[in-house]
């Protein structure tokens, strides 16, 4: 009896336990399938021969684009891993501005190879670790093939911007938009901070009418609205003294919502007289400072201007542009080199901006206000984008943004590499050769992932692109795939 008891622990040690990993494999396979489905959805829009997508929303809004970030941001994705690829595209957009489709297709290609590795018996952690080493080595390969560039080399900058536009709907206008993007970007680079380019200093104004050929770079300021001349005010002012105000040129209201009932005509006349005197006093202070152009911020509390105040401003020969958006004030004041005025008591000449000419001009069937010849103009640029319909204008704006982002990449990291699929093929060849020097499972994984980098439908000749676009794409794609590989369950919580 004692012998039997003594033998039982040894027997239990020899017994193998069975662990059911089917659920983990199913969850991982489901995640990979969902992410690959997203990548396949945008794959056909990649490269110079890429096709466009027409996105139709439930609100009858239609967008025609082949910009990966735009397509994925409009997709209604429910599966968590699929949403990760949409966020991956947004990350690439924030980091480099271009390559938003490339990074998703690259992640999908890596996931396809990862799936075959897992089917062959590789452990997910081993595949993820190999992918981390591959990303580090791939970045080294890209740096080795990069060519330094100076911002004074305008031709190379224009060629890089053209690469970003080659696959767009407006690619036939790249000879116009590429130099325009380069000039706009370089004009806002501050010599004190030569490695920084803030795209918020470049304002894009869209105006329906004409064609994309009519798009132009404005060395000044544009307002997509006409001057307020209902009371017969001026529409053209030379030697302009411009004020940006954030207060209302209208009668004050009570702080609480209430009604005042006036039953006596004498009292009514007194209220109207006080209102007139109040507005007239404000207009006299504005005129006394020498101001002859008034830019009025949009008000949510009460009317920024009334018919009476417009009448007095017209008599004072002051050009008025009303309903200026709050988020535009910083850009406007930086361009005009002036200060916003929040109260009539602070209205002084030293807070004004100066320009040679402010005039209302016709563009298509509507009018805009142009401010030209600004004295001591800040480092900003304005681009007026034209187009025959709203879809073309919106896509032209997105394409211009991508071209500007490419220039921003080159300002931040001044290296160029060959484009058109060349970096991917070079990385694939060198990583496959490196895999032969390694041993074990890591060698097998890296060889498999190296083959995933051969994206053949983007091949093109005489194309260059910023180094930052490719390094960002490979790093972000590998990071996203590693994260998906390491997930073995989905836990739903309330």
């Amino acid at each position: 009896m004692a012998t039997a008891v003594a033998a039982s622990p040894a027997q239990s040690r020899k017994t193998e336990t069975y662990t059911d990993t089917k659920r983990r494999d199913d969850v991982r396979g489901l995640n990979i399938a969902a992410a690959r489905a997203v990548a396949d959805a945008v794959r056909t829009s990649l490269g110079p021969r890429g096709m466009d997508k027409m996105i139709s929303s439930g609100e009858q809004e239609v967008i025609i684009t082949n910009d990966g970030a735009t397509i994925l941001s409009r997709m209604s994705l429910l599966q968590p891993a699929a949403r990760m690829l949409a966020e991956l595209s947004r990350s690439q957009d924030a980091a480099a501005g271009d390559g938003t489709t490339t990074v998703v297709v690259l992640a999908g290609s890596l996931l396809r190879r990862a799936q075959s590795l897992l089917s062959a018996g590789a452990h997910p952690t081993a595949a993820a670790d190999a992918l981390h080493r591959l990303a580090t080595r791939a970045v080294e390969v890209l740096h080795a093939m990069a060519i330094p560039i100076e911002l004074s080399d305008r031709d190379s900058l224009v060629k890089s911007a053209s690469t970003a536009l080659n696959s767009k709907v407006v690619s036939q206008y790249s000879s116009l938009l590429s130099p325009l993007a380069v000039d706009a970007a370089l004009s806002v680079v501050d010599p004190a901070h030569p490695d920084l380019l803030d795209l918020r200093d470049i304002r894009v104004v869209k105006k329906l009418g004409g064609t994309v050929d009519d798009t132009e770079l404005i060395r000044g300021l544009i307002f997509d609205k006409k001057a307020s001349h209902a009371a017969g005010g001026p529409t053209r002012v030379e030697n302009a003294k411009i004020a940006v105000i954030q207060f209302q040129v209208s009668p004050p209201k009570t702080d609480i919502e209430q009604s005042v009932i006036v039953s006596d005509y004498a009292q009514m006349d007194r209220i109207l007289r006080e209102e007139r005197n109040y507005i007239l006093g404000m207009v006299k202070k504005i005129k006394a400072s020498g101001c002859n152009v008034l830019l009025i911020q949009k008000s949510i509390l009460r009317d920024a201007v009334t018919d009476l105040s417009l009448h007095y401003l017209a008599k004072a020969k002051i050009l008025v542009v009303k309903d200026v958006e709050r988020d535009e004030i910083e850009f406007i004041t930086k361009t005009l080199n002036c200060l916003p005025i929040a109260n009539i008591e602070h209205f002084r000449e030293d807070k004004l901006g100066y320009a040679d000419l402010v005039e209302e001009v016709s563009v298509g069937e509507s009018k805009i206000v142009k401010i030209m010849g600004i004295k001591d103009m800040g480092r900003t640029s304005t681009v007026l984008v034209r187009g025959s319909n709203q879809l073309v204008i919106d896509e032209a704006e997105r394409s211009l943004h991508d071209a500007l982002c490419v220039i921003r990449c080159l300002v931040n990291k001044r290296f160029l590499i060959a484009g058109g699929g060349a970096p991917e093929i070079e990385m694939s060849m060198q990583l496959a050769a490196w895999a032969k020097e390694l041993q074990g499972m890591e060698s097998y994984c890296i060889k498999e992932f190296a083959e995933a980098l051969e994206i053949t439908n983007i091949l093109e000749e005489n194309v260059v692109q910023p180094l930052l676009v490719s390094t960002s794409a490979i790093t972000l794609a590998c990071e996203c795939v590693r994260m998906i590989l390491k997930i073995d369950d989905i836990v739903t919580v309330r």
Side-chain angles (χ1 to χ4, degrees), residues 258-436:
Q258 62 181 21
S259 300
V260 179
I261 300 171
V262 181
S263 55
D264 186 4
Y265 282 110
Q267 290 178 334
M268 200 177 294
D269 285 342
R270 186 183 170 194
I271 289 172
L272 293 173
R273 192 165 57 249
E274 288 295 333
E275 282 186 0
R276 279 198 300 272
N277 290 339
Y278 178 81
I279 292 172
L280 192 57
M282 293 178 83
V283 173
K284 283 181 177 177
K285 285 181 180 177
I286 292 169
K287 186 65 179 173
S289 68
C291 170
N292 53 15
V293 176
L294 202 59
L295 309 177
I296 305 174
Q297 181 181 302
K298 194 173 187 177
S299 173
I300 56 172
L301 300 173
R302 64 177 196 265
D303 293 334
V305 285
T306 61
D307 290 340
L308 184 63
S309 56
L310 284 174
H311 169 74
Y312 284 133
L313 288 166
K315 281 200 166 228
K317 301 292 184 212
I318 296 174
L319 187 149
V320 178
V321 178
K322 62 178 183 178
D323 293 341
V324 176
E325 296 294 339
R326 183 184 294 268
D327 55 2
E328 293 178 359
I329 294 294
E330 184 181 354
F331 180 87
I332 292 166
T333 51
K334 184 176 182 178
T335 305
L336 295 173
N337 197 20
C338 66
L339 293 171
I341 303 169
N343 192 294
I344 187 65
E345 301 302 327
H346 304 151
F347 211 107
R348 298 191 304 273
E349 190 175 357
D350 61 338
K351 292 191 174 184
L352 305 181
Y354 300 88
D356 294 338
L357 178 65
V358 178
E359 65 174 337
E360 182 185 86
V361 295
S362 296
V363 175
E365 295 181 356
S366 56
K367 295 182 177 179
I368 61 172
V369 175
K370 263 187 177 182
I371 302 178
M372 305 300 288
I374 299 169
K375 184 182 177 184
D376 299 327
M377 180 177 165
R379 291 190 174 276
T380 62
S381 282
T382 304
V383 180
L384 178 64
V385 176
R386 306 288 305 284
S388 56
N389 61 65
Q390 199 60 45
L391 296 175
V392 171
I393 291 175
D394 290 343
E395 182 61 11
E397 183 197 18
R398 283 190 289 270
S399 303
L400 188 64
H401 175 265
D402 282 0
L404 289 169
C405 286
V406 164
I407 307 302
R408 183 184 65 182
C409 286
L410 290 172
V411 170
N412 294 344
K413 202 169 189 176
R414 298 180 187 181
F415 287 94
L416 273 178
I417 56 173
E424 288 79 8
I425 300 294
E426 180 69 14
M427 280 191 291
S428 179
M429 289 173 59
Q430 292 208 27
L431 290 169
W434 178 54
K436 293 176 182 176

Side-chain angles (χ1 to χ4, degrees), residues 60-71:
Q60 303 301 313
E61 183 190 8
V62 176
I63 296 172
I64 299 174
T65 184
N66 72 350
D67 181 63
T70 305
I71 295 167

Side-chain angles (χ1 to χ4, degrees), residues 409-459:
C409 286
L410 290 172
V411 170
N412 294 344
K413 202 169 189 176
R414 298 180 187 181
F415 287 94
L416 273 178
I417 56 173
E424 288 79 8
I425 300 294
E426 180 69 14
M427 280 191 291
S428 179
M429 289 173 59
Q430 292 208 27
L431 290 169
W434 178 54
K436 293 176 182 176
E437 301 171 10
L438 303 173
Q439 294 178 345
M441 181 57 73
E442 188 176 50
S443 169
Y444 186 71
C445 290
I446 286 177
K447 179 179 176 295
E448 194 75 17
F449 285 133
E451 292 176 8
L453 300 179
E454 292 186 22
I455 306 172
T456 55
N457 60 331
I458 58 171
L459 300 180

Side-chain angles (χ1 to χ4, degrees), residues 94-113:
D98 193 24
T100 52
T101 309
T102 304
V103 72
V104 173
V105 172
L106 196 57
S109 186
L110 289 169
L111 282 168
R112 184 165 60 85
R113 295 291 177 169

Side-chain angles (χ1 to χ4, degrees), residues 59-105:
E59 299 164 357
Q60 303 301 313
E61 183 190 8
V62 176
I63 296 172
I64 299 174
T65 184
N66 72 350
D67 181 63
T70 305
I71 295 167
L72 292 172
S73 66
R74 299 282 174 167
M75 279 176 138
S76 181
L77 301 170
L78 301 177
Q79 217 276 350
R83 286 207 297 267
M84 284 172 69
L85 255 69
E87 288 162 9
L88 171 67
S89 183
R90 280 200 293 273
S91 299
Q92 176 71 5
D93 197 26
D98 193 24
T100 52
T101 309
T102 304
V103 72
V104 173
V105 172

